[in-house]
Amino acid sequence: MAIEAPATRPANPRFSSGPCAKPPTWTLDALADAALGRSHRAAIGKDKLKAAIETTREVLGVPADYKIGIVPASDTGAYEMAMWSLLGERPVEMLAWESFGSGWVTDAVKQLKLHAVTKTAEYGEIVDFAQVDFDKDVCFTWNGTTSGVRVPNGDAIPADRAGLTLCDATSAAFAMDLPWDKLDVTTFSWQKVLGGEAAHGILILSPRAVARLESYTPAWPLPKIFRLTKGGKLIDGIFTGATINTPSMLCVEDYLFALDWAKSVGGLKGLIARADANTAAVTGFVEANDWIDFLAVDPATRSNTSVCLKFTDERILDGASFAKAVAKRLEAEGIALDIGAYRDAPAGLRIWCGGTVETSDVEAMLPWLAWAFEAEIAAQKAAA
């Protein structure tokens, strides 16, 4: 007997965790005023880059004395730039609870060859920040995009810390309330919460981070695209729109649109509310179905953007194959695209719930998830 499919379908099936869904009002016409074929050093290019920086400051509430720069190579480039430029002056603690945090550990230990203390947690859990020594430099991800686990707040980070905090906030910025006074370096990419285009990163530096840059020279050579100082002084132009290398003005235009859209839905508070509403819809679904659960163990550390789920039904014979089959079935129906778990993460699904996703689409997709689950259980039984 065929399992009856739900009647309602999502208007937008894009639930990828990066690149993420564009803002709901986005069309190609949004890029009509892009400064194409113009130098990014011309007045029009500089003005647009500066507008991107200052509107980022406005929407995120970044303090006026923090520096914001647009840098190459997405969040990865921004975080690598910070690590290579700042680490080595004092002891380091590396914190990791998912794939990208583990990547930063590898870079610090194997590439920079730092004698770092490494603290890790399994997928679904988080490192105990109360046990971290913040008199050292500390590197961590705020939100584990591949694990669905986030830092609940910055309370455990002392205001009088001697070390710097280097925070990869790529799936947290614009969806979570980041405590700027506790963060010395913050990085993210446009392609996550605001659904921008790839290849550009944002680097935000506190006055303490700037002081370190101007007083410390790393022992290793720095590639040109990592250099933030010249003659012992910060290259201030990077933080006013004079980028290190040539940016895509098409991507800049796209980001400016996304920022304006963010302001139109209530700025940071509005974006957080939208993400929370999406996650609440998933929470209600999980609570109503005993065959699925969150990967995050503690609700207090559960992400409101990259929501990671695991199947718990004892009838499932092969968890990885089952999860892939469910995701494939939903994609074939045009219901949910790119919701498989990250390749290094435990088997399951990952549903993006950031602010560019409409809650009505999440609500329409979830009954289809139940349909796909039942269909795969039936297919597994038939094949046995």
Side-chain angles (χ1 to χ4, degrees):
M1 178 179 176
I3 300 169
E4 186 175 351
T8 302
R9 306 170 69 89
N12 185 354
R14 293 169 178 82
F15 298 100
S16 164
S17 291
C20 302
K22 310 294 287 184
T25 59
W26 185 91
T27 67
L28 280 171
D29 292 340
L31 308 180
D33 291 333
L36 303 183
R38 295 296 308 275
S39 170
H40 59 292
R41 296 185 177 90
I44 186 173
K46 287 183 177 179
D47 287 347
K48 286 182 179 292
L49 289 162
K50 187 173 183 179
I53 288 170
E54 292 310 318
T55 311
T56 298
R57 186 186 305 279
E58 176 188 352
V59 175
L60 290 179
V62 178
D65 58 350
Y66 279 49
K67 302 287 187 179
I68 303 176
I70 298 170
V71 300
S74 195
D75 173 68
T76 301
Y79 204 78
E80 292 277 13
M81 179 182 292
M83 290 177 65
W84 283 67
S85 299
L86 291 164
L87 296 185
E89 189 266 352
R90 63 177 50 240
V92 179
E93 283 202 15
M94 304 295 299
L95 314 182
W97 45 83
E98 51 93 49
S99 298
F100 291 103
S102 297
W104 305 140
V105 171
T106 298
D107 289 347
V109 174
K110 293 187 177 181
Q111 302 301 323
L112 297 178
K113 301 187 185 306
L114 298 169
H115 298 290
V117 172
T118 300
K119 294 182 177 177
T120 62
E122 296 298 321
Y123 275 87
E125 300 179 7
I126 197 169
V127 168
D128 182 2
F129 271 56
Q131 302 302 314
V132 175
D133 181 1
F134 286 97
D135 285 339
K136 300 175 181 177
D137 291 335
V138 180
C139 298
F140 64 98
T141 55
W142 191 271
N143 184 78
T145 312
T146 67
S147 67
V149 173
R150 66 175 174 181
V151 180
N153 53 59
D155 293 353
I157 303 175
D160 61 349
R161 61 193 177 278
L164 298 179
T165 52
L166 282 68
C167 174
D168 173 356
T170 199
S171 55
F174 297 108
M176 303 173 198
D177 194 9
L178 298 172
W180 295 109
D181 60 324
K182 302 298 182 71
L183 304 178
D184 295 301
V185 177
T186 308
T187 67
F188 61 87
S189 65
W190 302 345
Q191 71 203 44
K192 293 293 185 181
V193 179
L194 288 189
E197 293 304 297
H200 298 76
I202 293 287
L203 174 67
I204 303 177
L205 303 175
S206 74
R208 298 179 73 245
V210 172
R212 169 77 64 83
L213 284 168
E214 294 185 335
S215 63
Y216 164 67
T217 301
W220 43 80
L222 289 177
K224 180 180 179 180
I225 60 170
F226 285 3
R227 294 173 199 161
L228 295 168
T229 61
K230 184 176 182 180
K233 292 294 183 182
L234 189 73
I235 304 174
D236 207 56
I238 295 172
F239 304 94
T240 58
T243 54
I244 293 173
N245 70 336
T246 305
S248 164
M249 297 310 297
L250 194 65
C251 291
V252 171
E253 196 70 23
D254 185 74
Y255 183 51
L256 287 170
F257 172 85
L259 288 168
D260 285 342
W261 172 81
K263 291 167 64 176
S264 77
V265 298
L268 180 59
K269 288 185 178 179
L271 290 168
I272 292 173
R274 289 175 64 90
D276 285 350
N278 292 336
T279 307
V282 178
T283 300
F285 179 82
V286 169
E287 290 174 347
N289 294 279
D290 61 4
W291 46 264
I292 197 165
D293 200 358
F294 290 98
L295 185 59
V297 175
D298 182 356
T301 63
R302 190 177 295 159
S303 173
N304 67 343
T305 56
S306 54
V307 177
C308 296
L309 304 172
K310 59 183 179 182
F311 292 106
T312 58
D313 196 289
E314 293 182 353
R315 293 172 292 176
I316 297 172
L317 303 177
D318 182 335
S321 296
F322 187 90
K324 288 179 181 178
V326 168
K328 185 176 181 181
R329 191 178 289 270
L330 291 171
E331 182 167 347
E333 291 289 338
I335 297 299
L337 307 177
D338 309 318
I339 65 167
Y342 190 72
R343 60 180 180 268
D344 295 335
L349 303 176
R350 182 170 59 152
I351 300 169
W352 184 256
C353 287
T356 59
V357 173
E358 298 280 29
T359 303
S360 58
D361 285 334
V362 177
E363 292 171 339
M365 178 271 294
L366 291 169
W368 282 91
L369 174 53
W371 167 84
F373 168 79
E374 294 295 345
E376 281 306 317
I377 288 289
Q380 178 183 273
K381 183 178 180 181

Short mmCIF file of all heavy atoms in Angstrom, two decimals, residues 22-26 58-59 174-175 193-194 257-275 278 354-359:
data_model
loop_
_atom_site.label_atom_id
_atom_site.label_comp_id
_atom_site.label_asym_id
_atom_site.label_seq_id
_atom_site.Cartn_x
_atom_site.Cartn_y
_atom_site.Cartn_z
N LYS A 22 18.84 32.33 -0.41
CA LYS A 22 18.85 33.78 -0.55
C LYS A 22 17.69 34.38 0.27
O LYS A 22 16.73 33.67 0.59
CB LYS A 22 18.68 34.18 -2.02
CG LYS A 22 19.62 33.47 -2.99
CD LYS A 22 21.05 33.84 -2.80
CE LYS A 22 21.39 35.23 -3.28
NZ LYS A 22 22.85 35.51 -3.15
N PRO A 23 17.76 35.67 0.59
CA PRO A 23 16.61 36.31 1.24
C PRO A 23 15.34 36.11 0.41
O PRO A 23 15.40 36.07 -0.83
CB PRO A 23 17.02 37.78 1.30
CG PRO A 23 18.51 37.75 1.33
CD PRO A 23 18.90 36.60 0.45
N PRO A 24 14.20 35.98 1.04
CA PRO A 24 12.96 35.66 0.32
C PRO A 24 12.59 36.63 -0.79
O PRO A 24 11.93 36.24 -1.75
CB PRO A 24 11.90 35.66 1.43
CG PRO A 24 12.66 35.42 2.68
CD PRO A 24 14.00 36.05 2.50
N THR A 25 12.98 37.89 -0.66
CA THR A 25 12.61 38.89 -1.67
C THR A 25 13.66 39.05 -2.76
O THR A 25 13.52 39.90 -3.63
CB THR A 25 12.38 40.25 -0.99
OG1 THR A 25 13.58 40.66 -0.31
CG2 THR A 25 11.24 40.18 0.01
N TRP A 26 14.70 38.22 -2.73
CA TRP A 26 15.80 38.36 -3.68
C TRP A 26 15.40 37.96 -5.10
O TRP A 26 14.70 36.98 -5.31
CB TRP A 26 16.97 37.50 -3.25
CG TRP A 26 18.22 37.66 -4.08
CD1 TRP A 26 19.24 38.52 -3.85
CD2 TRP A 26 18.57 36.94 -5.26
NE1 TRP A 26 20.22 38.39 -4.82
CE2 TRP A 26 19.83 37.42 -5.71
CE3 TRP A 26 17.93 35.94 -6.01
CZ2 TRP A 26 20.46 36.93 -6.84
CZ3 TRP A 26 18.57 35.46 -7.15
CH2 TRP A 26 19.82 35.95 -7.55
N GLU A 58 26.40 48.16 11.69
CA GLU A 58 25.09 48.60 12.16
C GLU A 58 24.18 47.43 12.52
O GLU A 58 23.58 47.39 13.61
CB GLU A 58 24.42 49.46 11.08
CG GLU A 58 23.02 49.90 11.42
CD GLU A 58 22.32 50.57 10.24
OE1 GLU A 58 22.97 50.81 9.21
OE2 GLU A 58 21.10 50.83 10.36
N VAL A 59 24.09 46.45 11.62
CA VAL A 59 23.16 45.33 11.83
C VAL A 59 23.62 44.44 12.98
O VAL A 59 22.81 44.02 13.82
CB VAL A 59 22.99 44.51 10.54
CG1 VAL A 59 22.13 43.28 10.80
CG2 VAL A 59 22.36 45.37 9.44
N PHE A 174 24.58 37.06 12.53
CA PHE A 174 23.26 37.40 11.99
C PHE A 174 22.16 36.44 12.44
O PHE A 174 21.03 36.55 11.98
CB PHE A 174 23.26 37.48 10.45
CG PHE A 174 24.16 38.56 9.90
CD1 PHE A 174 25.34 38.21 9.28
CD2 PHE A 174 23.82 39.89 10.01
CE1 PHE A 174 26.18 39.19 8.76
CE2 PHE A 174 24.66 40.88 9.50
CZ PHE A 174 25.84 40.53 8.88
N ALA A 175 22.46 35.50 13.35
CA ALA A 175 21.42 34.62 13.88
C ALA A 175 21.53 34.43 15.38
O ALA A 175 20.62 33.89 16.00
CB ALA A 175 21.48 33.25 13.20
N VAL A 193 24.46 32.91 6.94
CA VAL A 193 23.16 33.32 7.47
C VAL A 193 22.42 34.30 6.56
O VAL A 193 21.19 34.27 6.50
CB VAL A 193 23.32 33.90 8.89
CG1 VAL A 193 21.98 34.35 9.44
CG2 VAL A 193 23.93 32.86 9.82
N LEU A 194 23.13 35.13 5.81
CA LEU A 194 22.43 36.06 4.93
C LEU A 194 22.31 35.55 3.50
O LEU A 194 21.81 36.26 2.63
CB LEU A 194 23.12 37.44 4.94
CG LEU A 194 22.94 38.26 6.22
CD1 LEU A 194 23.47 39.67 6.03
CD2 LEU A 194 21.48 38.30 6.66
N PHE A 257 22.43 44.04 -0.70
CA PHE A 257 20.99 43.75 -0.73
C PHE A 257 20.58 42.96 0.49
O PHE A 257 19.55 43.24 1.13
CB PHE A 257 20.63 42.97 -2.00
CG PHE A 257 19.20 42.49 -2.00
CD1 PHE A 257 18.18 43.31 -2.43
CD2 PHE A 257 18.88 41.22 -1.52
CE1 PHE A 257 16.86 42.88 -2.39
CE2 PHE A 257 17.57 40.78 -1.47
CZ PHE A 257 16.56 41.61 -1.92
N ALA A 258 21.38 41.92 0.83
CA ALA A 258 21.05 41.08 1.97
C ALA A 258 21.03 41.89 3.27
O ALA A 258 20.18 41.68 4.13
CB ALA A 258 22.04 39.92 2.07
N LEU A 259 21.99 42.81 3.41
CA LEU A 259 22.02 43.65 4.60
C LEU A 259 20.80 44.55 4.69
O LEU A 259 20.22 44.73 5.77
CB LEU A 259 23.30 44.49 4.60
CG LEU A 259 24.60 43.74 4.88
CD1 LEU A 259 25.80 44.64 4.55
CD2 LEU A 259 24.68 43.28 6.33
N ASP A 260 20.40 45.12 3.55
CA ASP A 260 19.20 45.96 3.54
C ASP A 260 17.96 45.13 3.88
O ASP A 260 17.07 45.59 4.61
CB ASP A 260 19.03 46.63 2.17
CG ASP A 260 20.01 47.77 1.96
OD1 ASP A 260 20.58 48.26 2.95
OD2 ASP A 260 20.21 48.17 0.79
N TRP A 261 17.90 43.92 3.35
CA TRP A 261 16.78 43.03 3.69
C TRP A 261 16.78 42.73 5.19
O TRP A 261 15.73 42.73 5.83
CB TRP A 261 16.88 41.72 2.89
CG TRP A 261 15.87 40.71 3.34
CD1 TRP A 261 14.55 40.65 3.00
CD2 TRP A 261 16.10 39.65 4.28
NE1 TRP A 261 13.94 39.61 3.65
CE2 TRP A 261 14.87 38.97 4.45
CE3 TRP A 261 17.22 39.19 4.98
CZ2 TRP A 261 14.73 37.87 5.29
CZ3 TRP A 261 17.08 38.10 5.81
CH2 TRP A 261 15.85 37.45 5.96
N ALA A 262 17.97 42.48 5.74
CA ALA A 262 18.07 42.22 7.18
C ALA A 262 17.51 43.38 7.99
O ALA A 262 16.77 43.18 8.97
CB ALA A 262 19.52 41.95 7.56
N LYS A 263 17.82 44.59 7.59
CA LYS A 263 17.28 45.76 8.29
C LYS A 263 15.76 45.81 8.17
O LYS A 263 15.06 46.19 9.11
CB LYS A 263 17.92 47.03 7.73
CG LYS A 263 19.40 47.17 8.09
CD LYS A 263 20.10 48.24 7.28
CE LYS A 263 19.56 49.62 7.54
NZ LYS A 263 20.32 50.66 6.79
N SER A 264 15.25 45.40 7.01
CA SER A 264 13.80 45.47 6.78
C SER A 264 13.01 44.48 7.63
O SER A 264 11.80 44.68 7.85
CB SER A 264 13.49 45.22 5.30
OG SER A 264 13.58 43.83 4.98
N VAL A 265 13.66 43.43 8.12
CA VAL A 265 12.94 42.44 8.96
C VAL A 265 13.25 42.64 10.44
O VAL A 265 12.96 41.78 11.26
CB VAL A 265 13.27 40.99 8.54
CG1 VAL A 265 12.80 40.74 7.12
CG2 VAL A 265 14.75 40.66 8.70
N GLY A 266 13.84 43.79 10.78
CA GLY A 266 14.07 44.11 12.18
C GLY A 266 15.51 43.97 12.63
O GLY A 266 15.78 43.93 13.84
N GLY A 267 16.43 43.91 11.67
CA GLY A 267 17.84 43.84 12.03
C GLY A 267 18.18 42.54 12.73
O GLY A 267 17.57 41.49 12.48
N LEU A 268 19.16 42.59 13.61
CA LEU A 268 19.63 41.39 14.28
C LEU A 268 18.52 40.71 15.08
O LEU A 268 18.35 39.48 15.02
CB LEU A 268 20.82 41.71 15.19
CG LEU A 268 21.43 40.53 15.95
CD1 LEU A 268 21.91 39.45 14.99
CD2 LEU A 268 22.55 41.01 16.85
N LYS A 269 17.73 41.49 15.82
CA LYS A 269 16.66 40.88 16.61
C LYS A 269 15.65 40.17 15.72
O LYS A 269 15.16 39.08 16.04
CB LYS A 269 15.96 41.96 17.46
CG LYS A 269 16.80 42.45 18.63
CD LYS A 269 16.01 43.43 19.49
CE LYS A 269 16.84 43.88 20.69
NZ LYS A 269 16.09 44.85 21.54
N GLY A 270 15.34 40.79 14.58
CA GLY A 270 14.40 40.17 13.65
C GLY A 270 14.95 38.89 13.05
O GLY A 270 14.23 37.89 12.90
N LEU A 271 16.24 38.91 12.72
CA LEU A 271 16.87 37.72 12.15
C LEU A 271 16.91 36.58 13.16
O LEU A 271 16.66 35.42 12.82
CB LEU A 271 18.29 38.05 11.68
CG LEU A 271 18.39 38.96 10.46
CD1 LEU A 271 19.83 39.44 10.29
CD2 LEU A 271 17.92 38.23 9.20
N ILE A 272 17.24 36.90 14.41
CA ILE A 272 17.26 35.88 15.47
C ILE A 272 15.87 35.30 15.66
O ILE A 272 15.69 34.07 15.78
CB ILE A 272 17.80 36.47 16.78
CG1 ILE A 272 19.28 36.82 16.65
CG2 ILE A 272 17.58 35.49 17.94
CD1 ILE A 272 19.85 37.55 17.85
N ALA A 273 14.85 36.16 15.65
CA ALA A 273 13.47 35.69 15.84
C ALA A 273 13.05 34.76 14.71
O ALA A 273 12.36 33.75 14.94
CB ALA A 273 12.53 36.89 15.92
N ARG A 274 13.46 35.08 13.49
CA ARG A 274 13.11 34.22 12.35
C ARG A 274 13.79 32.85 12.49
O ARG A 274 13.16 31.81 12.27
CB ARG A 274 13.52 34.89 11.04
CG ARG A 274 12.65 36.09 10.66
CD ARG A 274 13.18 36.79 9.42
NE ARG A 274 13.15 35.95 8.24
CZ ARG A 274 12.13 35.86 7.39
NH1 ARG A 274 11.04 36.59 7.60
NH2 ARG A 274 12.19 35.07 6.33
N ALA A 275 15.08 32.84 12.85
CA ALA A 275 15.78 31.58 13.02
C ALA A 275 15.18 30.77 14.17
O ALA A 275 15.02 29.54 14.07
CB ALA A 275 17.27 31.84 13.26
N ASN A 278 11.96 29.11 13.08
CA ASN A 278 12.22 27.94 12.24
C ASN A 278 12.63 26.74 13.09
O ASN A 278 12.17 25.61 12.88
CB ASN A 278 13.32 28.26 11.22
CG ASN A 278 12.87 29.27 10.18
OD1 ASN A 278 11.68 29.42 9.93
ND2 ASN A 278 13.82 29.96 9.57
N GLY A 354 18.29 29.22 9.34
CA GLY A 354 18.63 30.64 9.43
C GLY A 354 17.53 31.55 8.92
O GLY A 354 16.55 31.10 8.31
N GLY A 355 17.70 32.84 9.15
CA GLY A 355 16.65 33.82 8.92
C GLY A 355 16.17 33.98 7.49
O GLY A 355 15.07 34.50 7.27
N THR A 356 16.95 33.55 6.50
CA THR A 356 16.48 33.69 5.11
C THR A 356 15.48 32.60 4.74
O THR A 356 14.87 32.67 3.67
CB THR A 356 17.66 33.64 4.11
OG1 THR A 356 18.35 32.39 4.26
CG2 THR A 356 18.62 34.80 4.35
N VAL A 357 15.32 31.61 5.60
CA VAL A 357 14.34 30.55 5.37
C VAL A 357 13.00 30.96 6.00
O VAL A 357 12.96 31.47 7.12
CB VAL A 357 14.82 29.21 5.99
CG1 VAL A 357 13.74 28.15 5.91
CG2 VAL A 357 16.09 28.75 5.29
N GLU A 358 11.93 30.75 5.26
CA GLU A 358 10.60 31.08 5.77
C GLU A 358 10.09 29.95 6.67
O GLU A 358 10.20 28.77 6.31
CB GLU A 358 9.63 31.29 4.61
CG GLU A 358 9.99 32.45 3.68
CD GLU A 358 9.58 33.80 4.23
OE1 GLU A 358 9.52 33.95 5.47
OE2 GLU A 358 9.30 34.70 3.43
N THR A 359 9.50 30.30 7.79
CA THR A 359 8.96 29.29 8.70
C THR A 359 7.88 28.45 8.02
O THR A 359 7.77 27.24 8.26
CB THR A 359 8.40 29.95 9.97
OG1 THR A 359 9.44 30.72 10.60
CG2 THR A 359 7.90 28.92 10.96
#
